[in-house]
Amino acid sequence: MYVVESKGGAIVCMLLALLFLGTWPALITLLERRGRLPQHTYLDYTITNLLAAVIIALTFGQIGDSTVERPNFFTQLSQDNWSSVLFAMAGGVVLSLGNLSTQYAWAFVGLSVVEVISSSMTVVIGTTLNYFLDGKINKAEILFPGVGCFLVAVCLASAVHSSNAADYKAKLSSWPIDNETGKGTVLPSASEEAVLKDRENGGGPIRKAKAGTATFLIELEKRRSIKVFGKSMFIGLTLTFFAGVCFSLFSPAFNLATNDQWHTLKQGVPKLVVYTAFFYFSVSCFVIALVLNISFLYHPALGVSKSSFKAYLKDWNGRGWAFLAGFLCGFGNGLQFMGGQAAGYAAADAVQALPLVSTLWGVVLFGEYRRSSRRTYILLFSMLFMFIAAVGILMASSGHRK
């Protein structure tokens, strides 16, 4: 079994996890904005997310000889370690619920804001729990100022959302003027809707709406699978904060599974290694996602179109991107846990800097914050600055598990 033991190796794992975990939400958001049903996307994502855990377990978990203290993956499957297994599976359940919530929240308040708020909550709550569970191996005088920076980032993220929502409202109120119609209505007329529909089908005007304009927002609303116009942004923020609470608990649960701080294992039974714990973690994540999303096929939430399992199986539009998102999330979580086992799970929460990557994708792929007000830009850059500072501080607090 391969084990990451050095601080340098742990940091490499964290940086790779940061890249992977910051990229997969952008792929899910891309598919939603193209009109693919979230139930279809999440079912595909769930399959490869589990497959990533299986690949990690069969490779890193089986490399080298099996010892009494560090048994290989297959050896641990037959051991009496169910108390730790249940902690790992509990972590998978809350992660699955959090990921499902964010998939809908992204449509309401945007990729950048959702990732910042949920990730910052994860650090503020989850890092504090992990610090005490890990026996304070991280440097508190460095760690908690970093947690404070994340808390400031949450406040700034809320301000960014409020300012950007006001910008959207101002753009939509002037939409007809934006399209040189001279009309005073907020939403497009029947003839304008026909033009937009014709454009989507490849006919009519071929001029592409510029990102950030009211025309862009109207066309996006007509394409996407989760309709947000006329709905309260409070829904999105509620889902975001719920996801933040879920994300705050999955890492401490995994920590308990691999280190048995509460001494629930029988004497002589070795602790779960990272790869075995991650396998059980991913299995429970898969089961919850499978049950909920099959249910959502027939009883959709938040006005999403109804579907069926047969329709899902036939929907290959964007399936490759959904599979890739699952792999990225699965390998990202695995790398985070590998780094956390070596340097402390509190320091490994530095991967919650994923909004830095997600915000970049949000701007590049989706035109978020294009043509926003000066106030929004100032708040956005302030938020990202606090985020960068927090990540650097958390990395510096890394310890070494004996």
Side-chain angles (χ1 to χ4, degrees):
M1 180 185 68
Y2 175 76
V3 178
V4 178
E5 295 182 314
S6 68
K7 184 184 294 187
I11 290 176
V12 171
C13 287
M14 294 178 200
L15 291 176
L16 288 174
L18 169 62
L19 176 62
F20 292 169
L21 294 176
T23 300
W24 78 266
L27 299 179
I28 299 292
T29 303
L30 176 66
L31 294 176
E32 186 277 322
R33 291 188 172 210
R34 288 181 174 180
R36 194 168 197 251
L37 292 178
Q39 309 97 304
H40 294 186
T41 298
Y42 206 76
L43 283 169
D44 290 335
Y45 151 90
T46 301
I47 294 170
T48 49
N49 186 60
L50 175 61
L51 184 57
V54 173
I55 292 173
I56 289 175
L58 295 180
T59 52
F60 292 117
Q62 284 295 116
I63 293 176
D65 296 329
S66 180
T67 64
V68 175
E69 292 185 353
R70 292 179 176 177
N72 284 345
F73 171 65
F74 284 131
T75 302
Q76 280 216 306
L77 290 180
S78 61
Q79 294 178 341
D80 186 14
N81 47 28
W82 277 102
S83 57
S84 292
V85 168
L86 291 176
F87 279 123
M89 297 185 77
V93 169
V94 292
L95 178 65
S96 185
L97 293 175
N99 283 340
L100 187 60
S101 299
T102 56
Q103 182 171 339
Y104 289 89
W106 291 328
F108 284 90
V109 293
L111 180 63
S112 305
V113 172
V114 171
E115 293 303 308
V116 169
I117 292 178
S118 60
S119 296
S120 298
M121 288 181 65
T122 302
V123 170
V124 172
I125 302 173
T127 300
T128 302
L129 293 174
N130 278 323
Y131 171 74
F132 290 104
L133 286 174
D134 278 336
K136 304 179 182 180
I137 64 174
N138 300 101
K139 302 171 185 175
E141 65 276 12
I142 300 177
L143 179 70
F144 287 106
V147 173
C149 289
F150 270 99
L151 185 59
V152 173
V154 173
C155 299
L156 289 172
S158 297
V160 169
H161 161 69
S162 178
S163 181
N164 201 42
D167 293 342
Y168 272 26
K169 185 176 181 180
K171 291 172 186 177
L172 292 174
S173 66
S174 61
W175 183 83
I177 300 175
D178 210 24
N179 288 273
E180 300 178 356
T181 64
K183 297 180 181 180
T185 56
V186 175
L187 295 177
S189 64
S191 60
E192 289 161 346
E193 286 184 352
V195 170
L196 291 175
K197 185 175 182 180
D198 193 34
R199 185 183 304 175
E200 289 178 355
N201 293 330
I206 60 174
R207 183 182 62 181
K208 186 177 180 180
K210 294 182 178 180
T213 63
T215 308
F216 176 83
L217 298 176
I218 293 290
E219 290 185 340
L220 173 61
E221 175 70 8
K222 295 180 74 64
R223 287 194 308 269
R224 71 189 319 162
S225 58
I226 304 175
K227 307 301 182 183
V228 299
F229 280 9
K231 296 180 181 178
S232 173
M233 291 292 182
F234 179 75
I235 296 174
L237 287 177
T238 300
L239 290 171
T240 301
F241 280 100
F242 173 75
V245 172
C246 291
F247 292 154
S248 300
L249 299 177
F250 84 84
S251 181
F254 194 91
N255 194 348
L256 286 167
T258 54
N259 294 297
D260 192 34
Q261 291 93 335
W262 291 353
H263 307 292
T264 58
L265 289 173
K266 295 179 181 179
Q267 188 173 3
V269 178
K271 300 173 184 177
L272 279 187
V273 297
V274 171
Y275 312 111
T276 308
F278 185 47
F279 171 75
Y280 284 115
F281 174 95
S282 299
V283 167
S284 65
C285 192
F286 172 80
V287 171
I288 293 296
L290 187 68
V291 171
L292 289 178
N293 280 281
I294 290 179
S295 174
F296 287 158
L297 287 175
Y298 300 95
H299 307 283
L302 299 175
V304 176
S305 299
K306 190 175 182 180
S307 184
S308 65
F309 194 73
K310 183 178 181 181
Y312 158 69
L313 293 176
K314 291 182 177 180
D315 182 13
W316 284 88
N317 182 26
R319 175 157 284 165
W321 290 115
F323 283 157
L324 177 59
F327 275 125
L328 289 173
C329 184
F331 284 118
N333 285 329
L335 288 165
Q336 176 186 354
F337 295 144
M338 290 167 65
Q341 189 64 19
Y345 285 95
D349 283 335
V351 304
Q352 297 303 324
L354 59 93
L356 292 174
V357 181
S358 295
T359 299
L360 175 62
W361 288 122
V363 172
V364 173
L365 291 180
F366 313 130
E368 290 185 1
Y369 304 112
R370 299 282 180 87
R371 293 173 175 80
S372 293
S373 65
R374 182 179 179 183
R375 179 174 182 269
T376 298
Y377 286 133
I378 291 174
L379 289 170
L380 176 64
F381 285 116
S382 298
M383 175 191 76
L384 293 177
F385 173 78
M386 291 303 300
F387 226 19
I388 293 171
V391 172
I393 294 172
L394 284 184
M395 286 279 191
S397 74
S398 296
H400 187 269
R401 191 185 304 280
K402 296 181 181 179

